[in-house]
Amino acid sequence: QCLVEFLSGTHEVKIQDEISNEVFDITYTVDSIVVVPQYYGTLSHLAIDEDLNLQENRVTQENVGVVDFGGGGILIDVAHRLDLGASGFAWQEDLGVDAFHRAVDINSALSVYTIENLYIEGSEAEEYLYEPGNSKRVSDFTPAFMEQRRRATEHVKNLYSRHFRKNEDISVIFQTGGGADFLLQKELQKELSSQIDIEFIDEPQMSNVNGYYKLGTYMQKM
């Protein structure tokens, strides 16, 4: 309610052109606000096509699970035709991928920001290497990263088993969130493939944001 009151009404903002540096004053009025959980962005992204039309697919026609493994927490829910809470609950845990990043650098003088960049720029195949200007200070963080990726995958796997025990009515679970790529995808799917289908979202770091845009634009058309 506080967000709705704060964002409603008329607002003025300044926007600067990146090329000309010219500043524009923009006035806009917010007529309505819809507040949704973070992972509803991913569901909207999957349900609404690029032409901003609602599709007929699993998300809009069936029961689907969604697991958002974000920076600061994990969110779990089941949606029935885009209506949340189909399982009777939505669950949250305040343990996200940031905690596993911090565990990588626990014995290092490097900042968490530097460690995160090592992960973003590296990979299991190309390794996670810290290569500063001083060649004598090169460090290989690959073993530490792989250990934390295995720990994160095991943790999320246990959450799947705990919160989707009655999964006979769920057609698929979508794995999204900023930490989704940190999980060992093949290992997680192999462990649970006999129980339920798991689909990792493409570009999971952006899927919620893309969905917010699609949902907002789609609702304006209604």
Side-chain angles (χ1 to χ4, degrees), residues 59-75:
V59 181
T60 58
Q61 301 295 317
E62 302 172 5
N63 286 354
V64 299
V66 58
V67 177
D68 189 318
F69 183 37
I74 302 174
L75 307 170

Side-chain angles (χ1 to χ4, degrees), residues 170-190:
I170 301 175
S171 61
V172 62
I173 298 175
F174 295 109
Q175 179 65 62
T176 188
D181 285 339
F182 193 77
L183 303 173
L184 299 175
Q185 179 174 337
K186 291 182 179 179
E187 182 176 318
L188 186 63
Q189 289 174 320
K190 180 181 178 181

Side-chain angles (χ1 to χ4, degrees), residues 32 45 103 129 202 209:
S32 62
H45 177 56
L129 301 177
D202 293 334
V209 177

